[in-house]
Amino acid sequence: MNKSYKAVEKKKTAMESLSPEDILLNNCKRSNSIVERLAKDIYRLRVYKHAVEHASRIAVSGGLMFVCGNGGSWSDADHIAGELIGWYNDKTRQRPSLPVIPLPPSPGALTAIANDIGYEYVFSRPLSGFIRPVKKLKESGVDSVLLAFSTSGNSPNVVQAAKLAYENKIQVVSFTGKTGGKLKKYSNYLLCVPSKETDRIQEIHHLMYHTLCEIVEEEMLQNMMREK
């Protein structure tokens, strides 16, 4: 019996001895311990502050916002798009929709690119079609941003999209975990959760991007009041 199999069996035995509520509380404690580490990490908090402030400026100024990720991270990217295109917490229902573009924009595009070009390009290929309008906005002083989700920081298609964005002056905000992986090289802001557990990383990402949505929406509402 190899070591990895023994570890799985040991974990399985430990899980069987716990009730569902015990497992839930244990997971809550593990998530809380990561939050506590973040609360004490001045550098990570400062990076988050600058990333959110920059995303807010882009939103208010009318820049394009792109989002991408795989699997659970795709769900997170799609979630943030829904919150910003619709409403997050705006009880007045007054703020305008934001130009948030999920990559790729349709299942048809995803399967066509994956089949004809390669899965590595399912995000960078559609993003390449927006480079010209992004540059036009840049000429008028308006930035655009890519929100890239990869818990490992090493997903080839996410890295490929971040590389294309970074090289074309699109700001890259990467939501990662572990060490940040290859996304480090192509990120203006690396929001790296200090954990190696994918599920815990995604839970903290959820907190991070919900807070981003709250701040972006509030900034837009405040800007609308200033313009009246």
Side-chain angles (χ1 to χ4, degrees), residues 47 50-52 54-55 58 64 66-68 103 127 143-150 158-176 182-191 212:
V47 172
H50 292 317
V52 172
H54 199 78
I58 288 172
L64 299 177
F66 304 95
V67 294
C68 69
L103 300 173
L127 179 61
D143 282 332
S144 295
V145 63
L146 168 67
L147 305 182
F149 288 82
S150 172
V158 177
V159 173
Q160 187 75 14
K163 181 176 184 290
L164 178 66
Y166 192 81
E167 291 174 348
N168 285 277
K169 311 302 181 186
I170 298 173
Q171 299 293 303
V172 179
V173 177
S174 295
F175 291 78
T176 73
K182 296 177 182 178
L183 272 177
K184 280 182 181 179
K185 185 177 178 181
Y186 305 112
S187 299
N188 298 95
Y189 303 99
L190 186 73
L191 306 182
L212 183 148

Side-chain angles (χ1 to χ4, degrees), residues 92-132:
T92 67
R93 295 294 191 260
Q94 293 298 308
R95 73 141 171 105
S97 178
L98 286 169
V100 184
I101 303 163
L103 300 173
S106 74
L110 187 152
T111 52
I113 296 166
N115 185 63
D116 299 336
I117 305 174
Y119 193 69
E120 183 178 349
Y121 302 98
V122 294
F123 303 135
S124 58
R125 176 64 179 175
L127 179 61
S128 68
F130 290 98
I131 296 301
R132 287 172 66 186

